[in-house]
Amino acid sequence: MIRNSYIVVFSVMLAALFSLNCGKRNTSEINSFNMNFYTGLETLDPVMSNAPASIWVLNQVMETLVQYDKSNNLVPALASSYEISDDALVYTFHLRRGIKYQNDLCIPQGRTLNASDVKYCLERVNNPSSKTRGLWVFRDKIKGAEDYSLKKANSIEGLQVLNDSTIRIILVKPFAPFLSLLTMSYALIYPPEAVAYYGENFGFHPVGTGPFKFVRWEIDKELILSKNENYYQTDSLGKSLPYLDNIKISFKQSTESEYLDFLNGDFDYHEPTFEMLQALTDENGNLLSPEKRDFTLVRQPWLNTVYLIMLQDTSLPGGKSSPFVNNRNLRKAINFSVNRDKIVKYILRGRGIPATNGPLPIGLPGYSEDTKGYSYNPDSAKFYFRKAGYPDGKGLNLTLFISNDELQKSLAIALQNQLADFGVQMNIEQVMQSVLNSQQQYGELSFTRGNWGADYYDPENFMALFYSKNIIPFGPNKTGYRTPLADSLYELAMRIKDFDIRAKLYNEMEKIVIDDAAWAILYYNVRIYLLKKNISGFYLDGLNNIVLKYTSKN
């Protein structure tokens, strides 16, 4: 049973008043960036990195061939340059020479990056025996990747090492956003020796070329990264990056405790809950008495869509008893039952925008206001509940699975009350976020809260979640949704270079999945966080990646 939040509100209000007068105190590590992951951390193996916490850490330790800069432009990273053939099928990457891996027991000191490492890592993400969650990324794009994933080949034909510093990637067919795929955490590069040395524990001991190196991870206690003395990048003045000596991550599960520790100076970054925002901000969402605080409140767009997963595939464990299978009317009824405006106003307090359009979030290239989704409509909800076989909600008992996140709890309670208005009984079950990720990945839950944040700045990244070949565990289609028409539009769009034409195809695909009520889309996320005033150079990009190599602590 979800507990009442009055005590939480009272304690947070006291903490907010306390924060106006409390003295600052130094952390134990003066040049360390300290933060907390209250949702936990499942793994640090790139091939299993489908959760924000994993991606945040891995992006400090490892790097990709190309990356996005602060202006969202694609720029070389581990690759110094690249060429693309006229037919858009062949990509040739030239690696930076002399880039050293972080010192670790698994490799000789001074071990440098080479093209064989790149081939190994891209093959490993296509190898089911690695427990990969990224098969969907390259499987049908790189020549020979699908045969390799099915164990019909010993290597991927389209990954060709020309010499130590040059690798060629050959595609099956043109795929316009291919370079963007190489910025994802699934494409991070690491030495093969690390996997051989640590085996099943590689996900608990990552090694790479990034600005910070792994030190230790005490499960559910703390994770420590330290400055990579071998890092090759410098700032505009020629000073070595990163500026920080350490990154320290704690795993306290209570957001109230995390907030109090943030006020006391133990953490440099914090994402406030709804109750905390109420205590900290005025009716317009502005920070109260900002001049008296040692932190700032930052609000910025986030390319992330929050939705309800309604499992529709009987081949998945949770689909065998799912009421949403072959019942579009029920899925439509759920969509019409949700009052998104109230959720954004009273639960999110400005941390979202009502999702009354399609799956593509506002700000993502390809988003269109002309794509119309669902809005709260009691008459339509009653009509579709009746058509679905549940008049006045009778006979429909749902259980919504959510994580231990405070916001998810508040959201679930709101949904519970809104569905109760239509006679639907909905129970709430909370589990650790890491557990929820695994259960969703293997289709064990028929009704759960999901979200998808952009991995790169292209609508294909979202529409891939409605492609039948990407149904879990082979891809990110966690609803088990499939329809030939949507599949054909997705496949056609992948072959077209002209973005405007591709965007129109994706918008047509959006209309199909909206009509099928494949998701119950709730809202588009807005990121709000608190940052200590003595932190500079920190930024969180639109893809929700924390970038710390330019961060300094005064």
Side-chain angles (χ1 to χ4, degrees):
M1 188 173 189
I2 302 300
R3 65 182 176 84
N4 196 295
S5 62
Y6 290 123
I7 294 175
V8 176
V9 174
F10 179 70
S11 64
V12 169
M13 290 179 70
L14 286 177
L17 292 172
F18 172 73
S19 74
L20 294 176
N21 299 303
C22 66
K24 299 176 184 177
R25 67 181 179 85
N26 293 326
T27 57
S28 59
E29 296 172 317
I30 295 175
N31 198 30
S32 172
F33 187 87
N34 305 317
M35 60 190 301
N36 185 61
F37 287 174
Y38 64 85
T39 55
L41 181 64
E42 181 190 8
T43 180
L44 291 175
D45 188 335
V47 303
M48 299 176 70
S49 59
N50 63 343
S54 297
I55 296 170
W56 285 355
V57 176
L58 283 169
N59 280 336
Q60 316 308 321
V61 177
M62 301 177 186
E63 296 175 299
T64 50
L65 291 173
V66 291
Q67 64 186 15
Y68 287 106
D69 64 13
K70 289 184 179 180
S71 301
N72 301 332
N73 297 311
L74 270 171
V75 296
L78 290 179
S80 59
S81 62
Y82 57 85
E83 298 99 34
I84 305 173
S85 64
D86 292 339
D87 60 6
L89 290 175
V90 181
Y91 290 70
T92 304
F93 295 90
H94 305 281
L95 305 183
R96 297 180 189 273
R97 295 179 181 273
I99 292 183
K100 296 179 181 179
Y101 284 109
Q102 299 137 5
N103 294 333
D104 192 88
L105 292 173
C106 68
I107 52 175
Q109 188 166 340
R111 161 81 154 84
T112 57
L113 170 77
N114 62 55
S116 294
D117 299 341
V118 178
K119 178 180 172 67
Y120 172 84
C121 294
L122 293 181
E123 286 188 334
R124 186 167 177 265
V125 80
N126 284 281
N127 186 348
S129 64
S130 70
K131 300 180 182 178
T132 178
R133 297 171 183 172
L135 268 176
W136 62 278
V137 181
F138 301 110
R139 181 191 58 215
D140 58 351
K141 300 173 184 70
I142 299 177
K143 186 177 181 180
E146 187 152 21
D147 282 347
Y148 180 76
S149 70
L150 297 172
K151 300 190 180 299
K152 295 180 179 179
N154 294 323
S155 63
I156 295 179
E157 181 183 354
L159 296 175
Q160 300 178 356
V161 175
L162 304 187
N163 54 52
D164 278 353
S165 61
T166 310
I167 185 165
R168 176 182 293 157
I169 302 178
I170 303 172
L171 304 188
V172 175
K173 53 193 174 188
F175 181 74
F178 181 70
L179 284 175
S180 295
L181 298 184
L182 296 176
T183 68
M184 295 175 65
S185 59
Y186 293 122
L188 288 164
I189 308 303
Y190 44 90
E193 300 98 311
V195 179
Y197 185 87
Y198 292 108
E200 290 293 320
N201 290 321
F202 173 62
F204 301 92
H205 195 113
V207 182
T209 61
F212 296 92
K213 62 183 178 182
F214 176 85
V215 176
R216 70 174 183 273
W217 177 10
E218 296 179 57
I219 305 298
D220 295 332
K221 291 184 179 180
E222 70 175 14
L223 179 133
I224 304 293
L225 306 179
S226 68
K227 181 175 182 175
N228 176 14
E229 301 293 346
N230 293 334
Y231 196 57
Y232 61 97
Q233 287 192 22
T234 59
D235 63 16
S236 59
L237 299 176
K239 185 177 180 180
S240 296
L241 295 173
Y243 303 128
L244 295 167
D245 290 329
N246 300 292
I247 299 172
K248 179 180 177 181
I249 299 171
S250 302
F251 299 98
K252 295 184 177 182
Q253 294 181 25
S254 167
T255 53
E256 296 94 58
S257 295
E258 179 187 321
Y259 177 57
L260 290 172
D261 288 340
F262 172 79
L263 295 180
N264 288 333
D266 291 335
F267 300 132
D268 300 304
Y269 170 95
H270 175 69
E271 295 178 17
T273 64
F274 169 69
E275 290 88 356
M276 293 170 191
L277 277 179
Q278 279 187 310
L280 286 169
T281 59
D282 60 23
E283 60 182 9
N284 296 316
N286 298 315
L287 185 64
L288 294 168
S289 305
E291 73 284 352
K292 297 181 180 180
R293 303 185 189 277
D294 66 348
F295 60 85
T296 58
L297 184 148
V298 181
R299 180 182 284 105
Q300 66 181 60
W302 181 17
L303 302 177
N304 186 291
T305 300
V306 177
Y307 63 100
L308 297 178
I309 295 172
M310 300 177 287
L311 210 60
Q312 299 157 48
D313 189 337
T314 55
S315 68
L316 299 172
K320 292 178 173 59
S321 58
S322 172
F324 304 108
V325 174
N326 298 323
N327 199 336
R328 181 173 65 168
N329 291 321
L330 177 56
R331 302 195 300 269
K332 282 180 174 284
I334 298 293
N335 269 284
F336 282 121
S337 300
V338 178
N339 192 324
R340 296 160 178 81
D341 291 328
K342 282 190 174 181
I343 286 174
V344 167
K345 183 176 181 179
Y346 297 111
I347 303 300
L348 302 182
R349 198 175 173 85
R351 283 183 295 179
I353 300 169
T356 55
N357 299 96
L360 300 183
I362 296 171
L364 185 74
Y367 168 82
S368 173
E369 291 184 352
D370 295 332
T371 302
K372 302 301 181 184
Y374 293 90
S375 297
Y376 179 62
N377 189 319
D379 291 336
S380 294
K382 293 175 183 177
F383 172 78
Y384 281 106
F385 274 126
R386 197 160 50 246
K387 285 192 70 175
Y390 302 101
D392 297 322
K394 293 178 181 177
L396 182 58
N397 295 307
L398 299 173
T399 298
L400 180 68
F401 286 82
I402 60 171
S403 81
N404 58 320
D405 178 86
E406 290 289 339
L407 178 59
Q408 289 196 36
K409 181 171 70 176
S410 300
L411 172 64
I413 293 172
L415 292 170
Q416 185 182 54
N417 292 332
Q418 290 181 7
L419 287 174
D421 290 340
F422 298 94
V424 178
Q425 181 179 336
M426 190 190 88
N427 300 309
I428 300 171
E429 291 286 344
Q430 283 190 276
V431 297
M432 285 287 291
Q433 183 67 58
S434 56
V435 174
L436 187 67
N437 291 339
S438 294
Q439 290 178 318
Q440 289 179 349
Q441 182 63 28
Y442 296 105
E444 297 172 7
L445 308 174
S446 63
F447 193 41
T448 177
R449 179 259 189 205
N451 74 292
W452 185 260
D455 295 301
Y456 45 88
Y457 298 95
D458 194 283
E460 181 278 333
N461 187 220
F462 276 80
M463 302 319 293
L465 276 70
F466 304 99
Y467 186 44
S468 65
K469 291 185 179 180
N470 286 336
I471 291 176
I472 50 177
F474 304 107
N477 182 346
K478 295 180 180 179
T479 59
Y481 174 78
R482 67 174 78 231
T483 180
L485 185 54
D487 283 353
S488 63
L489 285 171
Y490 177 80
E491 291 171 353
L492 176 60
M494 287 195 297
R495 298 194 295 268
I496 295 175
K497 292 182 181 180
D498 188 293
F499 179 79
D500 291 337
I501 296 175
R502 283 200 300 122
K504 290 179 180 178
L505 292 173
Y506 290 133
N507 293 152
E508 288 301 312
M509 187 176 172
E510 279 191 289
K511 292 175 184 176
I512 293 169
V513 300
I514 289 170
D515 186 55
D516 279 343
W519 287 359
I521 309 173
L522 302 178
Y523 58 90
Y524 309 120
N525 254 318
V526 172
R527 173 67 74 187
I528 296 179
Y529 60 89
L530 308 178
L531 189 70
K532 291 293 186 179
K533 288 181 178 178
N534 66 333
I535 300 296
S536 60
F538 171 96
Y539 77 93
L540 189 67
D541 67 19
L543 304 179
N544 195 37
N545 293 316
I546 288 180
V547 181
L548 291 175
K549 67 180 175 182
Y550 305 107
T551 300
S552 58
K553 189 171 184 177
N554 302 316

